[in-house]
Coordinates of all heavy atoms in Angstrom, one line a residue:
M82 N -24.1 -15.6 1.2 CA -23.4 -14.5 0.6 C -21.7 -14.9 0.8 O -21.3 -15.4 1.8 CB -23.5 -13.1 1.4 CG -24.9 -12.6 1.1 SD -25.1 -11.8 -0.4 CE -26.6 -12.4 -1.1
A83 N -21.1 -14.5 -0.3 CA -19.7 -14.9 -0.3 C -18.8 -13.6 -0.4 O -19.3 -12.4 -0.7 CB -19.3 -15.7 -1.4
K84 N -17.6 -13.7 -0.2 CA -16.6 -12.6 -0.4 C -15.4 -12.9 -1.4 O -15.1 -14.2 -1.5 CB -15.9 -12.3 1.0 CG -16.8 -11.7 2.0 CD -16.1 -11.5 3.3 CE -17.2 -11.0 4.5 NZ -16.4 -10.8 5.7
Y85 N -15.1 -12.0 -2.1 CA -14.0 -12.2 -3.1 C -12.9 -11.2 -2.8 O -13.1 -10.2 -2.6 CB -14.5 -12.1 -4.6 CG -15.6 -13.3 -4.9 CD1 -16.8 -13.2 -4.4 CD2 -15.1 -14.2 -5.6 CE1 -17.7 -14.2 -4.8 CE2 -16.0 -15.3 -6.0 CZ -17.3 -15.3 -5.5 OH -18.2 -16.3 -5.8
V86 N -11.7 -11.7 -2.9 CA -10.5 -10.9 -2.8 C -9.6 -10.7 -4.0 O -9.5 -11.6 -4.8 CB -9.6 -11.5 -1.5 CG1 -9.1 -12.9 -1.9 CG2 -8.5 -10.6 -1.2
C87 N -9.3 -9.5 -4.1 CA -8.3 -9.1 -5.1 C -7.0 -9.8 -4.9 O -6.3 -9.5 -4.0 CB -8.3 -7.6 -5.2 SG -7.0 -7.1 -6.5
D88 N -6.5 -10.6 -5.9 CA -5.2 -11.3 -5.6 C -4.1 -10.3 -5.6 O -3.0 -10.7 -5.2 CB -5.2 -12.4 -6.8 CG -6.1 -13.6 -6.6 OD1 -6.6 -13.7 -5.5 OD2 -6.4 -14.2 -7.7
V89 N -4.2 -9.1 -6.3 CA -3.2 -8.2 -6.4 C -2.9 -7.3 -5.2 O -1.8 -7.2 -4.6 CB -3.3 -7.2 -7.6 CG1 -2.3 -6.3 -7.7 CG2 -3.5 -8.1 -9.0
C90 N -4.1 -6.7 -4.6 CA -3.9 -5.8 -3.6 C -4.7 -6.2 -2.2 O -4.5 -5.6 -1.2 CB -4.4 -4.5 -4.0 SG -6.2 -4.2 -4.1
G91 N -5.5 -7.2 -2.2 CA -6.3 -7.7 -1.1 C -7.5 -7.1 -0.8 O -8.0 -7.3 0.2
W92 N -8.0 -6.1 -1.7 CA -9.4 -5.5 -1.5 C -10.2 -6.6 -1.5 O -10.3 -7.4 -2.4 CB -9.5 -4.4 -2.6 CG -10.8 -3.7 -2.4 CD1 -10.9 -2.5 -1.6 CD2 -12.0 -4.0 -3.2 NE1 -12.4 -2.2 -1.7 CE2 -13.0 -3.0 -2.6 CE3 -12.4 -4.9 -4.1 CZ2 -14.4 -2.9 -3.1 CZ3 -13.8 -4.8 -4.5 CH2 -14.6 -3.8 -4.0
I93 N -11.4 -6.4 -0.7 CA -12.3 -7.5 -0.7 C -13.7 -7.0 -1.2 O -14.1 -5.9 -0.7 CB -12.5 -8.1 0.8 CG1 -11.3 -8.9 1.0 CG2 -13.8 -8.8 0.9 CD1 -11.2 -9.5 2.5
Y94 N -14.3 -7.8 -2.1 CA -15.7 -7.6 -2.5 C -16.6 -8.5 -1.6 O -16.4 -9.7 -1.7 CB -15.9 -7.7 -3.9 CG -17.4 -7.6 -4.2 CD1 -17.9 -6.4 -4.3 CD2 -18.3 -8.7 -4.3 CE1 -19.3 -6.2 -4.7 CE2 -19.6 -8.5 -4.5 CZ -20.1 -7.2 -4.8 OH -21.4 -7.0 -5.0
D95 N -17.4 -7.8 -0.8 CA -18.4 -8.5 0.1 C -19.9 -8.5 -0.7 O -20.4 -7.3 -0.7 CB -18.4 -7.9 1.5 CG -19.3 -8.6 2.5 OD1 -20.1 -9.5 2.1 OD2 -19.1 -8.4 3.6
E96 N -20.4 -9.7 -1.0 CA -21.6 -9.7 -1.7 C -22.7 -9.0 -0.9 O -23.7 -8.3 -1.2 CB -22.1 -11.1 -2.1 CG -21.2 -11.6 -3.1 CD -21.6 -13.0 -3.5 OE1 -22.3 -13.7 -2.6 OE2 -21.3 -13.5 -4.7
E97 N -22.6 -9.2 0.6 CA -23.7 -8.6 1.4 C -23.5 -7.2 1.4 O -24.6 -6.5 1.5 CB -23.3 -9.2 2.8 CG -24.5 -9.0 3.7 CD -24.3 -9.8 5.1 OE1 -23.2 -10.5 5.2 OE2 -25.1 -9.7 6.0
A98 N -22.4 -6.5 1.3 CA -22.3 -5.2 1.4 C -22.4 -4.6 0.0 O -22.8 -3.3 -0.1 CB -21.1 -4.8 2.1
G99 N -22.1 -5.3 -1.0 CA -22.1 -4.6 -2.4 C -20.9 -3.7 -2.4 O -19.9 -3.7 -1.6
Y100 N -21.0 -2.7 -3.4 CA -20.1 -1.7 -3.5 C -20.7 -0.5 -4.0 O -20.7 -0.1 -5.1 CB -18.9 -2.0 -4.4 CG -17.8 -1.0 -4.5 CD1 -17.1 -0.6 -3.4 CD2 -17.5 -0.4 -5.7 CE1 -16.1 0.4 -3.4 CE2 -16.6 0.5 -5.8 CZ -15.9 1.0 -4.6 OH -14.9 2.0 -4.7
P101 N -21.5 0.2 -3.0 CA -22.4 1.4 -3.3 C -21.5 2.4 -4.2 O -22.1 3.2 -5.0 CB -22.8 1.8 -2.0 CG -22.8 0.6 -1.1 CD -21.6 -0.2 -1.5
E102 N -20.2 2.7 -3.7 CA -19.5 3.8 -4.3 C -19.4 3.5 -5.8 O -19.1 4.4 -6.5 CB -18.0 3.8 -3.7 CG -18.2 4.1 -2.2 CD -18.2 2.9 -1.3 OE1 -18.7 1.8 -1.8 OE2 -17.6 3.0 -0.2
G103 N -19.5 2.2 -6.3 CA -19.3 1.8 -7.6 C -20.7 1.4 -8.2 O -20.8 0.7 -9.2
N104 N -21.7 1.9 -7.6 CA -23.1 1.6 -8.1 C -23.5 0.1 -8.1 O -24.2 -0.4 -9.0 CB -23.4 2.2 -9.4 CG -23.4 3.7 -9.3 OD1 -24.0 4.4 -8.5 ND2 -22.7 4.4 -10.4
I105 N -22.8 -0.7 -7.2 CA -23.3 -2.0 -7.1 C -24.0 -2.1 -5.7 O -23.4 -2.0 -4.7 CB -21.9 -3.0 -7.1 CG1 -21.2 -2.7 -8.5 CG2 -22.3 -4.3 -7.0 CD1 -19.9 -3.4 -8.6
A106 N -25.2 -2.5 -5.8 CA -26.1 -2.5 -4.6 C -25.7 -3.7 -3.6 O -25.2 -4.7 -4.0 CB -27.6 -2.8 -5.1
A107 N -26.0 -3.4 -2.4 CA -25.9 -4.4 -1.4 C -26.5 -5.7 -1.9 O -27.7 -5.6 -2.3 CB -26.3 -3.9 -0.1
G108 N -25.9 -6.9 -1.6 CA -26.6 -8.2 -2.0 C -26.4 -8.7 -3.3 O -26.8 -9.6 -3.7
T109 N -25.5 -7.9 -4.2 CA -25.3 -8.4 -5.5 C -24.2 -9.5 -5.5 O -23.1 -9.3 -5.0 CB -24.6 -7.0 -6.3 OG1 -25.6 -5.9 -6.3 CG2 -24.4 -7.5 -7.7
K110 N -24.6 -10.6 -6.2 CA -23.7 -11.6 -6.3 C -22.6 -11.3 -7.2 O -22.7 -10.6 -8.1 CB -24.5 -12.8 -6.9 CG -25.6 -13.4 -6.0 CD -24.9 -14.3 -4.9 CE -25.9 -15.1 -4.3 NZ -25.2 -15.9 -3.1
W111 N -21.5 -11.9 -6.9 CA -20.2 -11.6 -7.7 C -20.4 -11.9 -9.2 O -20.1 -11.2 -10.1 CB -19.0 -12.5 -7.2 CG -17.8 -12.2 -7.9 CD1 -17.1 -13.1 -8.7 CD2 -17.0 -11.0 -8.0 NE1 -15.9 -12.6 -9.0 CE2 -15.8 -11.3 -8.8 CE3 -17.2 -9.7 -7.4 CZ2 -14.9 -10.4 -9.0 CZ3 -16.2 -8.7 -7.7 CH2 -15.1 -9.1 -8.5
A112 N -21.2 -12.9 -9.5 CA -21.6 -13.3 -10.8 C -22.4 -12.3 -11.5 O -22.3 -12.1 -12.8 CB -22.3 -14.7 -10.8
D113 N -23.1 -11.5 -10.8 CA -23.9 -10.3 -11.4 C -23.2 -9.1 -11.3 O -23.8 -8.1 -11.9 CB -25.1 -10.3 -10.4 CG -26.1 -11.5 -10.6 OD1 -26.0 -12.2 -11.7 OD2 -26.7 -11.8 -9.6
V114 N -22.0 -9.0 -10.7 CA -21.2 -7.7 -10.9 C -20.8 -7.5 -12.3 O -20.5 -8.5 -13.0 CB -19.9 -7.8 -10.0 CG1 -19.1 -6.6 -10.3 CG2 -20.5 -7.8 -8.5
P115 N -20.9 -6.5 -13.0 CA -20.6 -6.1 -14.3 C -19.2 -6.7 -14.7 O -18.2 -6.5 -13.9 CB -20.7 -4.7 -14.5 CG -21.6 -4.3 -13.5 CD -21.5 -5.1 -12.3
A116 N -19.1 -7.2 -16.0 CA -17.8 -7.8 -16.4 C -16.8 -6.8 -16.4 O -15.5 -7.1 -16.4 CB -18.1 -8.5 -17.7
D117 N -17.2 -5.5 -16.6 CA -16.1 -4.4 -16.8 C -15.8 -3.9 -15.3 O -15.0 -2.9 -15.2 CB -16.6 -3.3 -17.7 CG -17.9 -2.6 -17.2 OD1 -18.5 -3.0 -16.1 OD2 -18.3 -1.6 -17.9
F118 N -16.1 -4.5 -14.3 CA -15.8 -4.1 -12.9 C -14.3 -4.1 -12.8 O -13.7 -5.1 -13.2 CB -16.5 -5.0 -11.9 CG -16.0 -4.7 -10.4 CD1 -16.6 -3.7 -9.7 CD2 -15.1 -5.3 -9.9 CE1 -16.3 -3.4 -8.4 CE2 -14.7 -5.2 -8.6 CZ -15.3 -4.2 -7.8
V119 N -13.7 -3.1 -12.2 CA -12.3 -3.2 -11.9 C -12.1 -2.9 -10.4 O -12.9 -2.2 -9.7 CB -11.5 -2.2 -12.6 CG1 -11.5 -2.6 -14.1 CG2 -11.8 -0.7 -12.4
C120 N -10.9 -3.4 -9.7 CA -10.6 -3.2 -8.4 C -10.6 -1.8 -8.1 O -9.8 -1.2 -8.8 CB -9.4 -4.0 -7.9 SG -8.9 -3.7 -6.3
P121 N -11.3 -1.2 -7.0 CA -11.2 0.1 -6.8 C -9.8 0.5 -6.4 O -9.4 1.9 -6.4 CB -12.3 0.3 -5.7 CG -13.1 -0.9 -5.7 CD -12.1 -2.0 -6.3
L122 N -9.0 -0.2 -5.9 CA -7.8 0.1 -5.4 C -6.6 0.0 -6.4 O -5.8 0.9 -6.6 CB -7.2 -0.8 -4.1 CG -8.0 -0.4 -2.9 CD1 -7.4 -1.2 -1.8 CD2 -8.0 1.0 -2.6
C123 N -6.5 -1.0 -7.2 CA -5.5 -1.3 -8.1 C -5.9 -1.5 -9.6 O -5.1 -1.5 -10.5 CB -4.7 -2.5 -7.6 SG -5.5 -4.1 -7.8
G124 N -7.3 -1.5 -9.8 CA -7.7 -1.4 -11.1 C -7.7 -2.8 -12.1 O -7.9 -2.6 -13.2
V125 N -7.4 -3.9 -11.4 CA -7.4 -5.1 -12.3 C -8.9 -5.6 -12.4 O -9.6 -5.1 -11.8 CB -6.5 -6.2 -11.5 CG1 -5.0 -5.8 -11.5 CG2 -7.1 -6.5 -10.1
D126 N -9.1 -6.4 -13.3 CA -10.5 -6.9 -13.7 C -10.8 -8.1 -12.8 O -10.1 -8.6 -12.0 CB -10.6 -7.1 -15.1 CG -9.8 -8.3 -15.7 OD1 -9.4 -9.3 -14.9 OD2 -9.5 -8.3 -16.8
K127 N -12.1 -8.5 -12.9 CA -12.7 -9.5 -12.2 C -12.0 -10.8 -12.2 O -12.0 -11.7 -11.2 CB -14.1 -9.8 -12.7 CG -15.2 -8.7 -12.3 CD -16.6 -9.1 -12.8 CE -17.2 -10.2 -11.9 NZ -18.5 -10.5 -12.4
S128 N -11.3 -11.1 -13.2 CA -10.6 -12.4 -13.3 C -9.4 -12.4 -12.4 O -8.9 -13.6 -12.1 CB -9.9 -12.6 -14.8 OG -8.8 -11.7 -14.9
Q129 N -9.0 -11.5 -11.7 CA -7.9 -11.3 -10.7 C -8.4 -11.6 -9.3 O -7.7 -11.4 -8.3 CB -7.3 -10.0 -10.8 CG -6.5 -9.7 -12.2 CD -5.5 -10.7 -12.6 OE1 -4.6 -11.0 -11.8 NE2 -5.6 -11.3 -13.8
F130 N -9.7 -11.9 -9.2 CA -10.3 -12.0 -7.8 C -10.5 -13.5 -7.5 O -10.8 -14.3 -8.4 CB -11.7 -11.3 -7.7 CG -11.6 -9.8 -7.6 CD1 -11.2 -9.0 -8.6 CD2 -11.8 -9.2 -6.4 CE1 -11.1 -7.7 -8.4 CE2 -11.7 -7.8 -6.1 CZ -11.4 -7.0 -7.2
S131 N -10.4 -13.8 -6.2 CA -10.5 -15.2 -5.9 C -11.7 -15.3 -4.7 O -11.7 -14.5 -3.8 CB -9.3 -15.8 -5.3 OG -8.3 -15.9 -6.3
L132 N -12.4 -16.4 -4.7 CA -13.4 -16.7 -3.6 C -12.6 -16.7 -2.3 O -11.6 -17.4 -2.1 CB -14.1 -17.8 -3.9 CG -15.0 -18.3 -2.8 CD1 -16.2 -17.3 -2.7 CD2 -15.7 -19.6 -3.1
V133 N -13.2 -16.0 -1.3 CA -12.6 -16.1 0.0 C -13.1 -17.3 0.8 O -14.4 -17.4 0.9 CB -12.8 -14.9 0.9 CG1 -12.3 -15.0 2.3 CG2 -12.1 -13.7 0.2
E134 N -12.4 -18.3 1.2 CA -12.9 -19.4 1.9 C -13.0 -19.2 3.4 O -12.0 -18.6 4.0 CB -12.0 -20.6 1.7 CG -11.6 -20.9 0.2 CD -12.8 -21.7 -0.4 OE1 -13.8 -22.0 0.3 OE2 -12.7 -21.7 -1.7
E135 N -14.1 -19.3 4.0 CA -14.3 -19.0 5.4 C -14.7 -20.1 6.2 O -15.1 -21.1 5.8 CB -15.3 -17.8 5.6 CG -15.0 -16.5 4.9 CD -15.8 -15.4 5.2 OE1 -17.0 -15.3 4.6 OE2 -15.6 -14.7 6.1
Ligands
ZN251 ZN1 -6.9 -4.8 -6.3

């Protein structure tokens, strides 16, 4: 499971946790998050997110 960070505001999408508030189930791969997903904090699209290296 990976994490992706919004390059604009730093909000993190964690594949393990999903984003239930946005109807994205826990365990949803970033690739499977809908293309129209936007950052909950700042509203940018998926292209503005980067893989978090751990
Ligand atoms: Zn953001």
Side-chain angles (χ1 to χ4, degrees):
M82 289 281 138
K84 294 177 183 175
Y85 290 80
V86 61
C87 174
D88 292 331
V89 176
C90 74
W92 184 84
I93 288 177
Y94 176 76
D95 181 345
E96 291 180 337
E97 192 169 359
Y100 182 59
E102 300 92 330
N104 292 319
I105 299 171
T109 301
K110 291 287 194 180
W111 182 244
D113 295 327
V114 171
D117 63 355
F118 175 84
V119 295
C120 176
L122 289 189
C123 71
V125 298
D126 65 27
K127 285 181 71 178
S128 68
Q129 302 295 310
F130 283 73
S131 298
L132 177 64
V133 176
E134 307 287 351
E135 296 188 275

